[in-house]
Amino acid sequence: GIQVEQSPPDLILQEGANSTLRCNFSDSVNNLQWFHQNPWGQLINLFYIPSGTKQNGRLSATTVATERYSLLYISSSQTTDSGVYFCAVGTGANNLFFGTGTRLTVIP
Amino acid sequence: ETGVTQTPRHLVMGMTNKKSLKCEQHLGHNAMYWYKQSAKKPLELMFVYSLEERVENNSVPSRFSPECPNSSHLFLHLHTLQPEDSALYLCASSQNKGDTQYFGPGTRLTVL
């Protein structure tokens, strides 16, 4: 399967700070999703972004498919942003391969 | 609310018990998935159903038995589990296999 590496594994931010999370993958993909898992275990879709750049409020994501990485930007972080952020990639109708996540803690 | 529900949310069972996890999606999707999430490990895909037909079984032990009676419902039947099976079990659905996946809230399973 495709190898997915996320960095950093853990991140602590002061409320209001900005951050960048990275996802590297080992093969060409045509499916890439970013998820946020809240402290209760719920996985929420953030972006479907196999290439290009998307923005949704304080979050944005960029995928450079030719260089096999994606970045998730969080601006003006809030305590509700805390949780684990997962990157998952796939090819065609094949399944998603998940990274081990970045655990984000935002402190007031 | 993602349109995918799971019950129960928490389950504690002994190694000799038989229980079932239920997943229901209200999105009109054709594909459904079971994942296992253990501490410090990536999500592991267990089973994939597409149009009610099992299309993947990722070397999951036979003590886990999936069932998909229709495109909206997915079950995971459990019997004679081991303590190492304790984990968060997540259900997901997508329009078709390979499309964007939407997850349920999960069932946190503890095997004593």
Side-chain angles (χ1 to χ4, degrees):
Chain A
I2 302 173
Q3 304 302 308
V4 183
E5 294 182 1
Q6 291 186 244
S7 60
D10 293 279
L11 184 60
I12 299 175
L13 294 176
Q14 196 78 42
E15 198 169 27
N18 303 328
S19 63
T20 301
L21 281 56
R22 187 177 179 102
C23 172
N24 292 333
F25 42 95
S26 62
D27 206 345
S28 299
V29 301
N30 56 16
N31 184 347
L32 189 148
Q33 294 182 240
W34 282 97
F35 295 90
H36 173 223
Q37 188 170 39
N38 67 23
W40 297 272
Q42 175 73 64
L43 274 162
I44 302 295
N45 298 65
L46 298 177
F47 294 102
Y48 172 81
I49 185 165
S51 64
T53 297
K54 290 186 178 179
Q55 179 154 8
N56 184 1
R58 296 181 296 103
L59 302 182
S60 64
T62 295
T63 298
V64 184
T66 53
E67 298 187 22
R68 300 183 184 171
Y69 74 88
S70 183
L71 302 174
L72 177 69
Y73 305 96
I74 304 174
S75 64
S76 305
S77 57
Q78 301 176 359
T79 56
T80 51
D81 295 332
S82 296
V84 183
Y85 289 81
F86 288 101
C87 169
V89 303
T91 58
N94 292 327
N95 302 311
L96 289 178
F97 295 91
F98 281 77
T100 52
T102 292
R103 182 174 297 278
L104 174 65
T105 304
V106 180
I107 54 177
Chain B
E1 178 60 50
T2 62
V4 182
T5 59
Q6 290 186 243
T7 55
R9 296 294 308 277
H10 301 271
L11 179 62
V12 179
M13 60 187 289
M15 290 191 285
T16 58
N17 291 159
K18 288 184 180 182
K19 297 287 184 183
S20 295
L21 310 185
K22 179 182 176 182
C23 175
E24 183 173 1
Q25 56 96 359
H26 312 275
L27 301 169
H29 288 169
N30 296 315
M32 297 186 77
Y33 311 76
W34 278 118
Y35 287 87
K36 175 183 179 183
Q37 186 178 27
S38 304
K40 307 289 187 184
K41 294 174 69 175
L43 270 73
E44 301 171 64
L45 180 65
M46 301 175 72
F47 301 103
V48 182
Y49 276 81
S50 179
L51 296 171
E52 302 159 39
E53 180 181 345
R54 190 191 310 180
V55 294
E56 282 205 38
N57 174 350
N58 281 353
S59 303
V60 179
S62 59
R63 57 186 183 269
F64 295 91
S65 174
E67 178 191 1
C68 187
N70 55 63
S71 59
S72 299
H73 293 86
L74 185 65
F75 294 89
L76 188 62
H77 303 299
L78 316 172
H79 64 98
T80 58
L81 294 192
Q82 305 298 310
E84 60 264 29
D85 296 322
S86 298
L88 181 67
Y89 288 84
L90 291 159
C91 172
S93 71
S94 63
Q95 186 63 54
N96 294 297
K97 188 169 174 291
D99 290 336
T100 304
Q101 293 184 25
Y102 296 87
F103 283 79
T107 295
R108 190 162 296 281
L109 173 67
T110 303
V111 182
L112 302 177

